[in-house]
Amino acid sequence: MKVAKFGGSSVANAEQFRKVANIVTADPERKFVVVSAPGKRFKEDTKMTDLLILLAKKVIEEDVYEGVLAQVVARYDEIVTDLGLPRDILDVISSNLQQIIDTYADQPERLMDALKASGEDNNAKLMAHYLRHLGHEAHYVNPKDAGIFVTDEPGNAQILPQSYEQIAKLKERSGILVIPGFFGYSLSGHVVTFPRGGSDITGSIIAAGVHATLYENFTDVDSIYCVNPSIVENPCQLRELTYREMRELSYAGFSVFHDEALQPVYKLGIPVCVKNTNNPDAPGTFIVATRDHRHQPVAGIASDTGFCSINISKYLMNREIGFGRRLLQILEDEGISYEHTPSGIDNMSVILREEQLAGDVERRVLERIEKELQVDEVSIERDLALIMVVGEGMERSVGIAAKATAAFARANINIEMINQGSSEVSMMFGVKADAVERAVRALYEVYF
Amino acid sequence: MKVAKFGGSSVANAEQFRKVANIVTADPERKFVVVSAPGKRFKEDTKMTDLLILLAKKVIEEDVYEGVLAQVVARYDEIVTDLGLPRDILDVISSNLQQIIDTYADQPERLMDALKASGEDNNAKLMAHYLRHLGHEAHYVNPKDAGIFVTDEPGNAQILPQSYEQIAKLKERSGILVIPGFFGYSLSGHVVTFPRGGSDITGSIIAAGVHATLYENFTDVDSIYCVNPSIVENPCQLRELTYREMRELSYAGFSVFHDEALQPVYKLGIPVCVKNTNNPDAPGTFIVATRDHRHQPVAGIASDTGFCSINISKYLMNREIGFGRRLLQILEDEGISYEHTPSGIDNMSVILREEQLAGDVERRVLERIEKELQVDEVSIERDLALIMVVGEGMERSVGIAAKATAAFARANINIEMINQGSSEVSMMFGVKADAVERAVRALYEVYF
């Protein structure tokens, strides 16, 4: 049995619904279907989810919201009409939205979560309808009935372990089961949405729960590329990636499949296949536990900007047991998470996402470092980019670092930082943000 | 005014005493002379300090010690006789030693410190005698009279700030002042020795106290070499090094001048010159605040073995604020100091000196990491060597890393770890211990 998840662009309108129906019904193994909310139909279009967030804001600000509400319904109307479905489903959707608004009017967070979730929820109802309309046995399954129970943290739900046992029972149900992505239910019965990549997470959870043979993640690209196509023109497509490689790449900027969504399937070794709804015959990219990396030690090159480095120097720092711990304590007190901490003998740097020092935080952190650690010098280096070269074959392969550093030298790019040695599958370089695209191109040249 | 410090081999016997006298009296600026205890006269010889440690042990173990005591006095006797000095000084020395033994018989730590210190102390008395014998005005100055007051930590004295004011007064005294290295006095009046590199520290303190124009550090090599001569045959000699370069090099294995001894002069920017007592005309190596590094960005390559790496992996580690801090806390609780902590997304390594995990410590640390941090995996990689490429010119020089990594690749050496980015003057590589000499030679090839 397979789980097939369809992203926003795959269910943006009637035409896409037809493609999805064809894909789902083409393979009897595709029993579990997870759908997102309608995405963009064209470049300037607004995603359903964004419409719903706008709707929620208007309700919260006690502004006139009926106009936005109408827009939301209109989008479903378009799909219903184009697919020639009975219109009564639209009344179900409208009343459902109105009910959410009435129920949570005075609970902004709940309202936001419930309205956001409705985008997937109503789209799943439509999809089930459409499949039945085509003569297939298909059922909409609400996440509560599916057994998706989560922590009660609006916008940041985490799956509860006991869910899996109940999800497994879905296997016994007949027909195609259509499940909305992006949210689950707290034990107190509230709708709670997942963090970024929500629908991918739902698909992964279902795949793990039913021990699927494959988790198909349908999106709008033929495959995952070895480097960001906006930086390198038509880069090579990846046939296979390991979970670890995918995790490191998506962490460092690969957005096609969100890393957190890997966790449930990773634990069970269930393969993931990223495919294109608009070109289902393309083989896509498989994300698996192990791959043969003899011919291609490097899998991909990811890059991300918006980092900065807090550079600290203090004479005889390395004789001071506890220095590093006290530095990290200061960051922890401010709820700051860091990426790396390269250290010399008398110096230590902390690489972190710049936005975390917003507002008053920067001043407080620097003051505490100066006062409490009595450093000789502390400064911040801004506008850094991190580049991650990722590949299972890197650890045992002499010369990988040589290729990279030579490429930087040829491109006349100064390496601000190198971090290699902890992760077996990645090597990290820090460069100035304005050099990052040149750097990535230079690396692509040598590795692909 | 200059401070001239002479190491053990420079004052090992009468012949060396004559060289020292010639050097000191050749330059009227050499007003402050700091001497070590007599070092080895030939390869298999025993250093005076080791004799004194043996003597102290025998006294502490209430063993027969007179034989060793006689050996100690015999070494001074040899010098006195060869230099034709009045023998009464020997009685002073013997009674001084006996007095120390009687005073501290029941205080092992004090006894050890006092006897160790006597090596320098009595040698300084001899040197002053000899200079007077040659017709020069010279005075032995006891560290207490010099104003060298230190923390009361036997074997690990730290200078007390108030000392400098008093040391400055030495400038007003006439003649050549001969001061024993290696120890000072606690405020409670006890002799307390400095840590490793003790006499260098005394010289540095005196130089700082009297605001010397130069601190000459006389040893038995013509200069500091850019790499360990036991690894590379007659490597290039360094004319100039900055304090920072010297500190990083000596930390990573350069033993000629102990880094801790740099601190007092570093603060005042007093230049240090490492010279050869046996070849005083050789220019030696200057350690200064800044150097022109355009033609030689890399100053030296140091290496040290005996490191290991604790490798930890945990899925989604980087989402866990406080993970690094708690890991370092565990090490701190065990009094372990670490070198570097390269980190990936789901992994973190801690590089530290292997000996720190001796006995039961390793088991305790690993157990706590597993239990308290709930990691997926923790393992130890042993027999690592760290190689430090040091140079003020490195930060701004594109391609330094490329040269190094290419050298490793050509020598077919796998780089276990690269750490660059915090220190502006060094780049660190981790390799297997058995590859370190090949690695250093490969680096020497490309940089020199």
Side-chain angles (χ1 to χ4, degrees), chain A residues 142-369:
Chain A
N142 179 279
K144 190 187 277 171
D145 306 323
I148 303 175
F149 294 107
V150 298
T151 56
D152 197 357
E153 241 187 297
N156 190 33
Q158 306 289 327
I159 188 74
L160 296 173
Q162 61 262 43
S163 302
Y164 291 109
E165 210 171 304
Q166 201 168 333
I167 292 168
K169 300 209 184 90
L170 291 175
K171 284 185 291 187
E172 294 147 21
R173 294 187 53 171
S174 66
I176 299 166
L177 306 183
V178 184
I179 305 157
F182 192 36
F183 71 100
Y185 282 81
S186 68
L187 293 176
S188 52
H190 291 293
V191 163
V192 193
T193 61
F194 289 116
R196 202 160 62 87
S199 292
D200 285 344
I201 295 175
T202 300
S204 189
I205 288 168
I206 298 295
V210 302
H211 286 76
T213 53
L214 180 65
Y215 171 26
E216 296 177 304
N217 194 281
F218 283 89
T219 168
D220 52 12
V221 289
D222 279 356
S223 82
I224 295 174
Y225 297 101
C226 64
V227 60
N228 186 337
S230 73
I231 295 178
V232 175
E233 241 179 90
N234 41 52
C236 60
Q237 306 188 346
L238 298 169
R239 284 284 139 271
E240 251 188 355
L241 270 176
T242 67
Y243 297 120
R244 295 200 301 177
E245 288 171 335
M246 184 72 248
R247 161 125 174 87
E248 305 231 0
L249 287 169
S250 63
Y251 174 79
F254 273 37
S255 53
V256 54
F257 191 77
H258 193 254
D259 60 339
E260 214 156 329
L262 276 173
Q263 195 171 14
V265 286
Y266 156 81
K267 287 183 175 164
L268 298 175
I270 296 168
V272 178
C273 184
V274 174
K275 286 176 77 68
N276 189 352
T277 301
N278 309 312
N279 181 18
D281 299 336
T285 302
F286 279 84
I287 307 169
V288 293
T290 59
R291 68 177 179 94
D292 175 357
H293 48 68
R294 275 167 303 179
H295 309 302
Q296 186 53 275
V298 171
I301 304 163
S303 60
D304 204 358
T305 56
F307 295 94
C308 67
S309 171
I310 302 177
N311 302 323
I312 298 157
S313 68
K314 179 176 187 178
Y315 196 71
L316 295 182
M317 177 191 290
N318 75 310
R319 301 285 166 89
E320 201 173 323
I321 287 190
F323 185 92
R325 193 263 311 158
R326 283 181 289 135
L327 172 61
L328 297 186
Q329 181 67 66
I330 291 174
L331 298 178
E332 189 177 343
D333 294 346
E334 293 285 346
I336 292 171
S337 68
Y338 65 91
E339 309 300 318
H340 304 282
T341 58
S343 62
I345 290 168
D346 294 339
N347 1 55
M348 185 166 169
S349 298
V350 182
I351 316 298
L352 44 85
R353 289 190 184 274
E354 210 153 10
E355 82 242 8
Q356 295 189 104
L357 295 180
D360 216 27
V361 181
E362 176 170 334
R363 192 188 46 71
R364 273 206 305 279
V365 168
L366 295 188
E367 266 179 24
R368 285 191 61 186
I369 289 173

Side-chain angles (χ1 to χ4, degrees), chain A residues 196 243-244 247-249 251-252 258-263 266 309 311-312 314-319 321-326 328-329 331-332 335-349 356 376 381 388 394-399 401-403 405-410 412-424 426-427, chain B residues 196 243-244 247-249 251-252 258-263 266 309 311-312 314-319 321-326 328-329 331-332 335-349 356 376 381 388 394-399 401-403 405-410 412-424 426-427:
Chain A
R196 202 160 62 87
Y243 297 120
R244 295 200 301 177
R247 161 125 174 87
E248 305 231 0
L249 287 169
Y251 174 79
H258 193 254
D259 60 339
E260 214 156 329
L262 276 173
Q263 195 171 14
Y266 156 81
S309 171
N311 302 323
I312 298 157
K314 179 176 187 178
Y315 196 71
L316 295 182
M317 177 191 290
N318 75 310
R319 301 285 166 89
I321 287 190
F323 185 92
R325 193 263 311 158
R326 283 181 289 135
L328 297 186
Q329 181 67 66
L331 298 178
E332 189 177 343
I336 292 171
S337 68
Y338 65 91
E339 309 300 318
H340 304 282
T341 58
S343 62
I345 290 168
D346 294 339
N347 1 55
M348 185 166 169
S349 298
Q356 295 189 104
D376 299 336
E381 188 178 357
M388 195 99 75
M394 290 188 14
E395 190 196 18
R396 292 277 147 265
S397 155
V398 168
K403 274 188 176 182
T405 50
F408 283 121
R410 274 196 304 277
N412 194 37
I413 293 164
N414 200 19
I415 304 174
E416 303 289 322
M417 175 180 51
I418 302 177
N419 186 310
Q420 187 227 311
S422 181
S423 167
E424 297 165 349
S426 75
M427 195 183 322
Chain B
R196 202 159 62 90
Y243 297 120
R244 295 200 300 177
R247 161 126 174 84
E248 304 233 358
L249 287 168
Y251 174 78
H258 192 256
D259 59 340
E260 213 155 332
L262 276 173
Q263 197 171 13
Y266 155 81
S309 171
N311 301 325
I312 297 156
K314 178 176 186 177
Y315 196 71
L316 296 181
M317 177 192 289
N318 74 311
R319 302 286 166 87
I321 288 189
F323 185 92
R325 191 264 311 158
R326 284 181 289 138
L328 297 185
Q329 180 68 67
L331 298 178
E332 189 177 345
I336 293 172
S337 69
Y338 65 90
E339 309 300 319
H340 304 283
T341 58
S343 61
I345 290 168
D346 294 338
N347 5 53
M348 185 167 167
S349 298
Q356 296 188 104
D376 299 336
E381 189 178 359
M388 195 99 73
M394 290 190 8
E395 191 196 14
R396 294 276 146 263
S397 158
V398 168
K403 274 187 173 183
T405 50
F408 283 121
R410 275 195 304 276
N412 194 36
I413 294 163
N414 199 21
I415 304 174
E416 303 288 322
M417 176 179 50
I418 303 177
N419 185 312
Q420 187 226 312
S422 182
S423 168
E424 297 165 350
S426 75
M427 194 182 324

Side-chain angles (χ1 to χ4, degrees), chain A residues 410-447:
Chain A
R410 274 196 304 277
N412 194 37
I413 293 164
N414 200 19
I415 304 174
E416 303 289 322
M417 175 180 51
I418 302 177
N419 186 310
Q420 187 227 311
S422 181
S423 167
E424 297 165 349
V425 297
S426 75
M427 195 183 322
M428 205 255 338
F429 299 93
V431 301
K432 291 274 180 214
D434 55 24
V436 67
E437 300 209 345
R438 271 165 56 231
V440 169
R441 279 186 215 105
L443 289 172
Y444 182 78
E445 290 292 311
V446 293
Y447 290 125

Side-chain angles (χ1 to χ4, degrees), chain B residues 143-201:
Chain B
K144 189 187 276 171
D145 308 324
I148 302 175
F149 294 107
V150 298
T151 56
D152 198 354
E153 240 188 300
N156 191 34
Q158 307 290 324
I159 188 75
L160 295 173
Q162 60 262 43
S163 303
Y164 291 109
E165 209 171 304
Q166 200 169 332
I167 292 168
K169 299 207 184 89
L170 291 175
K171 287 185 289 188
E172 293 146 23
R173 295 187 52 172
S174 66
I176 299 166
L177 306 183
V178 185
I179 305 157
F182 192 36
F183 71 101
Y185 281 81
S186 67
L187 294 176
S188 50
H190 290 294
V191 163
V192 193
T193 60
F194 289 117
R196 202 159 62 90
S199 291
D200 286 342
I201 296 175

